[in-house]
Amino acid sequence: MTTSKVTLRRLRELADAGTPLVMVTAYDFVSGRVAERAGADLVLVGDSGAQVVLGYPDTTSITLDEMLTLAKAVRRAVRTPFLVCDLPFGSTELSDEQAIATSVRFVHEAGTDAVKIEGATPARLSRLRAIVEAGIPVMGHVGLTPQTATALGGLRAQGRTADDAVRVARHALAVQDAGAFAIVIEAVPAAVVAEIRRALRVPVIGIGAGDAEGQVLVQHDLLGITEGRSPVFVKRYAAVGEAMVAGVEAFASDVRARTFPGREHVYPAADEVAAAVRSFIDAR
Ligand code: KIV
């Protein structure tokens, strides 16, 4: 488990030594503290926060200001892991200058160590290169890229035909060549990712991608907080959502039965204190 501040160099050393990298998402102080206390190597303030904590229907709905608010809360909690923030939809599309300005805001306002950008179109690669040249480390993201899910035919696995698998491989190599220090590959068959990794020098952090240098999951998915069906690549390690509902139900039941608050939950006062208030009230 990591105990001193994780740096880019440390990530490289871990990957070179064959030590799997652990990345988990966080969106607020509480989930940031959980990631810190659990010893994650990297924490991602993902734009999945749009759905997971803000209740939007998709990741494209979250604004830059909303992402910055989440990132600042996570930063207050995260001391040891390497902190990466997603560049949200609409915050980089106009120009390389816009992408640099957005990334600088994440560094200045949220103290982020790196940013993550989805995709590998010529424009995306140009943004990636520009941000790296501005001195901010960038994590790439290929395969299923939720910000452009509509163009990819929905939230579905990528690289399942020969042509599409080669397209994902091209994207990963292009993102590496543009200067990414690591690449998230999402929802791509394990055998395809294994071939792509043979050609990559930078670590792959997989999500639905089989074996890789690291793995990432959405914290609320792995803890069993999110409701409904999860993608096939999610493993639930706890049933925290059920525990939360059960806790609030028990509170509601105690309140309705007047068994809460109990004697141990109230402030004591000497008899004369209550008597003084009684006299005051009665005299009105
Ligand atoms: O936004 C997010 O949570 C992500 C991970 C799924 C990698 O990009």
Side-chain angles (χ1 to χ4, degrees):
M1 192 203 294
T2 303
T3 52
S4 55
K5 168 79 187 136
V6 177
T7 57
L8 266 188
R9 189 177 159 164
R10 180 74 189 134
L11 291 174
R12 191 68 258 178
E13 285 169 0
L14 289 169
D16 288 348
T19 308
L21 302 174
V22 178
M23 182 157 96
V24 69
T25 65
Y27 312 104
D28 59 10
F29 187 79
V30 173
S31 52
R33 283 294 300 155
V34 170
E36 170 83 31
R37 292 176 62 200
D41 300 306
L42 302 104
V43 170
L44 171 68
V45 183
D47 58 4
S48 52
Q51 295 131 298
V52 174
V53 296
L54 298 185
Y56 287 127
D58 49 44
T59 60
T60 55
S61 305
I62 195 165
T63 66
L64 172 57
D65 285 338
E66 287 169 329
M67 276 297 289
L68 280 164
T69 300
L70 304 187
K72 285 190 250 184
V74 173
R75 174 80 285 176
R76 287 179 206 115
V78 167
R79 290 279 151 254
T80 315
F82 192 80
L83 182 63
V84 184
C85 294
D86 256 336
L87 295 174
F89 180 73
S91 71
T92 61
E93 276 70 10
L94 295 181
S95 64
D96 289 354
E97 289 69 26
Q98 187 202 20
I100 295 171
T102 298
S103 305
V104 167
R105 283 194 71 187
F106 275 103
V107 173
H108 276 169
E109 298 176 34
T112 183
D113 296 312
V115 294
K116 177 163 81 59
I117 189 162
E118 289 187 9
T121 61
R124 304 273 83 199
L125 296 171
S126 173
R127 306 293 181 265
L128 203 166
R129 236 178 266 114
I131 301 165
V132 171
E133 276 166 20
I136 300 171
V138 181
M139 179 178 276
H141 184 155
V142 302
L144 175 58
T145 47
Q147 288 178 14
T148 45
T150 310
L152 294 173
L155 289 172
R156 54 177 56 208
Q158 303 293 301
R160 299 186 81 176
T161 64
D163 282 353
D164 201 46
V166 171
R167 178 188 66 87
V168 176
R170 269 194 228 291
H171 283 180
L173 288 167
V175 163
Q176 169 178 266
D177 292 346
F181 72 89
I183 306 175
V184 167
I185 301 188
E186 179 167 354
V188 174
V192 172
V193 175
E195 295 300 332
I196 296 173
R197 284 174 61 221
R198 292 196 311 113
L200 290 176
R201 299 178 307 276
V202 298
V204 167
I205 313 241
I207 175 162
D211 192 28
E213 284 70 29
Q215 298 292 330
V216 57
L217 280 180
V218 166
Q219 185 175 151
H220 294 55
D221 287 345
L222 78 88
L223 290 179
I225 299 175
T226 35
E227 293 177 63
R229 274 187 60 214
S230 313
V232 68
F233 53 74
V234 171
K235 179 171 175 182
R236 288 194 182 243
Y237 290 86
V240 173
E242 291 310 312
M244 290 166 86
V245 174
V248 175
E249 278 174 351
F251 167 67
S253 159
D254 276 4
V255 169
R256 290 182 184 125
R258 297 194 187 282
T259 53
F260 177 85
R263 292 172 69 85
E264 67 277 29
H265 303 119
V266 299
Y267 295 104
D271 288 348
E272 62 266 27
V273 174
V277 178
R278 193 178 316 121
S279 303
F280 166 74
I281 296 293
D282 289 348
R284 285 169 73 239

